[in-house]
Amino acid sequence: MEGALPVPVNMTQDELKALVGQAALAYVVPGTVVGVGTGSTVNHFIDALATMKDRIAGAVSSSVASTERLRAHGITVLDAATVTSIPVYIDGADEIDHSGHMIKGGGAALTREKIVADLAERFVCIADESKLVEVLGSYPLPVEVIPMAAAQVARRFERQYGGQATLRAGVVTDNGNAILDVRGLRITEPLAMETEVNQWPGVVTVGIFGRHRASVCLLGTAAGVRTLTF
């Protein structure tokens, strides 16, 4: 299902991100804790969330960068270990298909994003229309790995899926690990591939969000904000 909200013409991509960030406020439940993701689109959501900071109980953040931005706005950030559940998690995506499956991890926060998403009853994805795809895989698949396993995991991607994995240079995750970016994939069964790769020794998290797929996507387009429900 989908709907659309009108938007002025000739908006820039950044303005569209701000629009979906603002639209995501409609999914925040007053008086509760909200899950907050990572990235440029989420930054706009955090800025919008500051306008209602006195009406929420706080936020659980998926990255150091988001935590710093939330606190700069005076929003209370809670440790995920102290929270048993949250009504909604709001985050972006590098790709999302028409079933709500996503590739995430362009900002290297995929593991913490899954942890917060697992606390949430609902995942609301905010993105621009370029992120909507028929089949996942055009965007390189991020995989957080224990550094000593990076070469081993890369060889296994090539052997099992025909993917070419390269180490993301100069990147260390908030958890102290490395990121592999895997190109040349066509992910037709996201949940099955996520389940498989997550079992490989040395893999911390693969950036396929199949089990934690979106239930709603707010998509910024030239025609307005499209609301996709899955």
Side-chain angles (χ1 to χ4, degrees):
M1 297 174 60
E2 66 179 74
L5 297 175
V7 63
V9 295
N10 300 323
M11 293 189 79
T12 66
Q13 185 180 40
D14 195 59
E15 288 170 332
L16 288 172
K17 289 180 178 181
L19 199 68
V20 295
Q22 182 70 37
L25 291 183
Y27 293 86
V28 176
V29 180
T32 69
V33 177
V34 59
V36 178
T38 303
S40 59
T41 307
V42 172
N43 283 342
H44 286 292
F45 168 66
I46 293 172
D47 295 344
L49 187 64
T51 65
M52 59 176 296
K53 63 184 179 183
D54 295 330
R55 288 182 280 145
I56 59 173
V60 175
S61 168
S62 67
S63 71
V64 172
S66 288
T67 294
E68 291 174 348
R69 195 179 190 96
L70 286 160
R71 286 178 173 160
H73 279 299
I75 298 171
T76 300
V77 180
L78 304 172
D79 190 316
T82 67
V83 178
T84 56
S85 68
I86 53 178
V88 65
Y89 175 56
I90 295 171
D91 200 359
D94 299 306
E95 283 187 341
I96 183 168
D97 69 14
H98 291 270
S99 296
H101 303 115
M102 296 167 287
I103 284 181
K104 293 175 51 55
L110 59 162
T111 298
R112 295 192 182 196
E113 288 170 348
K114 278 195 180 177
I115 291 169
V116 182
D118 195 57
L119 286 170
E121 298 170 14
R122 193 180 204 189
F123 190 130
V124 175
C125 175
I126 52 177
D128 66 80
E129 63 183 334
S130 69
K131 305 303 192 328
L132 183 64
V133 298
E134 293 298 324
V135 178
L136 300 177
S138 294
Y139 189 91
L141 175 65
V143 187
E144 182 167 353
V145 295
I146 302 297
M148 71 173 288
Q152 182 178 345
V153 172
R155 289 192 298 269
R156 189 158 183 175
F157 264 107
E158 184 171 12
R159 182 173 68 250
Q160 192 158 332
Y161 294 109
Q164 295 77 50
T166 56
L167 201 61
R168 194 180 299 180
V171 173
V172 177
T173 70
D174 288 345
N175 310 310
N177 297 312
I179 293 286
L180 287 174
D181 290 309
V182 189
R183 294 168 173 81
L185 299 174
R186 181 177 170 83
I187 305 171
T188 56
E189 297 182 36
L191 184 56
M193 186 172 179
E194 177 186 23
T195 302
E196 164 68 18
V197 175
N198 274 340
Q199 305 307 309
W200 296 355
V203 170
V204 179
T205 304
V206 62
I208 300 171
F209 280 59
R211 180 172 178 267
H212 297 95
R213 68 190 183 99
S215 54
V216 176
C217 180
L218 303 178
L219 207 64
T221 78
V225 177
R226 291 174 59 195
T227 301
L228 311 179
T229 57
F230 309 105

